[in-house]
Amino acid sequence: MTGWIVASTKAKSSNSNQKLNITTMSAVVNKETVFESGGKTVLSIENSKYNILYAANKNAITKVLQTDHPETEPDFVDSLEQITSVKSVSETRFIMTNMKGDASLYDTKAKSSKLLARSALPLRACDLIHSGNTAIFGGDDLQLTMVDLDDSKNTHILNVQDQVHQLSYNLRTNMLAVSLINGTIYFYSLTSTQPNEVKKLDGYIIKASYKEELDVLDDITHDDLDSDNEDELSITDKEFCDENRISTRVAWSPSGHNFAIPCYDMKIKVFNLKDYAPTKTLEVNGTESRFIDVQFDPLEGKYVA
């Protein structure tokens, strides 16, 4: 399926259920192939007056595109191989993690890069905290690593109970949500240098696992094939396997007072941050696919896509 599933978060009554028909938003502003070679591509947009899009692929190339001026030739940056996540810092800087356990900061204006952290195991997720001045990384080493972007020696480590699957931070409330592969979500207050755990939620997200070997699959898109032969049903990139694409990431509303979770039962639950109680359940009709991304609309948080 191509497009977004869009649902209103306005509930008529508390803890109500809403069944949704799949609606795809098909308006295309501009369509352009980012990488001719295909394969995994990770995106992050810098939401400011510049609207810079960072598009990184597994072959160690990152394109820097101006979304307001798609006709402008993009800049190219040599970046990490085997990427797992990328996050915009500003219109000229971004951070990135990879399977080799590296976390790096790139400056497109200065044409420079800096290693921020290194783990012996894969790093899976990154985000920005403390008003964008600190990068946070998590992965298979059972740690959260926080690094000051201007002073990489200023580093703090927080041990966690299991491998980190995904991270999500809200600037308004200064809250960090950490999704672990064991199906637990931890919420931390970041009002101080060291994160303070304030809540743990169990029983909502799927217990994740990573697929390291490739099998022949029957239900894939032609874009995922390594050949033009439509009868060839093998995937050459393990990142296209369902296990490696499932989202457990908490989506924050713009105000930070609500958050949404893509749940194990293929429903989306919207919560109130005040008491961490679900206020609305969004159920999608017509699909058995798991979510690979969930987002609030960035203006008022009235819709979830």
Side-chain angles (χ1 to χ4, degrees):
M1 184 191 74
T2 302
W4 293 95
I5 303 171
V6 181
S8 172
T9 59
K10 292 288 186 178
K12 294 182 179 179
S13 60
S14 177
N15 201 22
S16 61
N17 292 341
Q18 179 178 346
K19 291 189 176 182
L20 308 173
N21 292 320
I22 296 177
T23 303
T24 60
M25 301 178 68
S26 57
V28 177
V29 176
N30 184 63
K31 185 175 181 180
E32 180 181 347
T33 300
V34 179
F35 293 107
E36 296 289 346
S37 59
K40 179 181 180 179
T41 301
V42 181
L43 307 176
S44 181
I45 192 165
E46 196 280 320
N47 290 312
S48 73
K49 63 180 180 179
Y50 300 100
N51 288 328
I52 299 297
L53 176 68
Y54 298 103
N57 75 355
K58 66 174 184 177
N59 298 318
I61 297 175
T62 298
K63 278 189 178 183
V64 185
L65 303 101
Q66 301 180 42
T67 58
D68 289 343
H69 301 283
E71 73 282 356
T72 303
E73 284 295 318
D75 292 328
F76 290 84
V77 178
D78 291 332
S79 51
L80 297 177
E81 296 180 339
Q82 301 179 23
I83 52 168
T84 52
S85 66
V86 61
K87 179 70 176 181
S88 165
V89 177
S90 69
E91 69 274 12
T92 60
R93 298 197 300 170
F94 63 94
I95 56 176
M96 179 182 290
T97 61
N98 73 350
M99 290 291 294
K100 294 181 179 180
D102 295 330
S104 295
L105 169 68
Y106 292 85
D107 190 320
T108 60
K109 184 177 181 180
K111 299 186 183 302
S112 64
S113 63
K114 178 170 62 174
L115 182 68
L116 297 177
R118 173 167 285 167
S119 171
L121 298 173
L123 290 175
R124 305 282 183 176
C126 66
D127 211 327
L128 296 174
I129 58 176
H130 299 318
S131 300
N133 297 316
T134 302
I136 184 167
F137 308 102
D140 294 1
D141 58 0
L142 312 186
Q143 292 181 339
L144 291 175
T145 303
M146 291 151 281
V147 184
D148 189 305
L149 291 179
D150 295 323
D151 180 11
S152 58
K153 294 182 180 179
N154 185 7
T155 300
H156 298 273
I157 302 294
L158 177 69
N159 294 322
V160 292
Q161 297 298 315
D162 211 328
Q163 295 170 250
V164 175
H165 193 241
Q166 290 180 319
L167 302 172
S168 181
Y169 173 72
N170 183 264
L171 177 62
R172 294 286 184 89
T173 56
N174 214 7
M175 293 290 294
L176 174 71
V178 181
S179 301
L180 303 183
I181 66 167
N182 64 5
T184 300
I185 304 174
Y186 286 89
F187 291 83
Y188 295 92
S189 172
L190 300 184
T191 53
S192 60
T193 303
Q194 195 73 1
N196 177 38
E197 181 188 329
V198 295
K199 186 67 176 179
K200 180 177 77 170
L201 289 181
D202 284 311
Y204 289 104
I205 59 173
I206 189 172
K207 293 183 179 181
S209 62
Y210 298 109
K211 192 176 184 67
E212 301 298 339
E213 301 295 332
L214 296 176
D215 300 320
V216 175
L217 304 180
D218 295 327
D219 186 16
I220 57 177
T221 64
H222 293 160
D223 292 339
D224 297 345
L225 300 178
D226 65 339
S227 169
D228 293 333
N229 183 359
E230 295 186 1
D231 293 328
E232 178 65 43
L233 295 178
S234 62
I235 294 178
T236 60
D237 191 338
K238 63 186 178 185
E239 293 296 338
F240 283 117
C241 299
D242 287 345
E243 293 91 335
N244 296 342
R245 302 175 67 197
I246 293 172
S247 175
T248 61
R249 181 180 179 273
V250 170
W252 293 99
S253 67
S255 68
H257 297 310
N258 298 97
F259 60 89
I261 296 177
C263 297
Y264 71 93
D265 57 1
M266 293 174 285
K267 299 177 183 177
I268 298 173
K269 290 187 182 293
V270 180
F271 292 74
N272 190 328
L273 181 62
K274 184 178 181 179
D275 54 10
Y276 294 89
T279 60
K280 192 174 185 66
T281 299
L282 307 177
E283 184 176 354
V284 180
N285 286 333
T287 180
E288 296 182 356
S289 299
R290 297 200 178 276
F291 299 104
I292 60 173
D293 195 17
V294 175
Q295 299 282 347
F296 277 88
D297 80 84
L299 297 179
E300 299 181 10
K302 292 182 178 180
Y303 299 92
V304 171

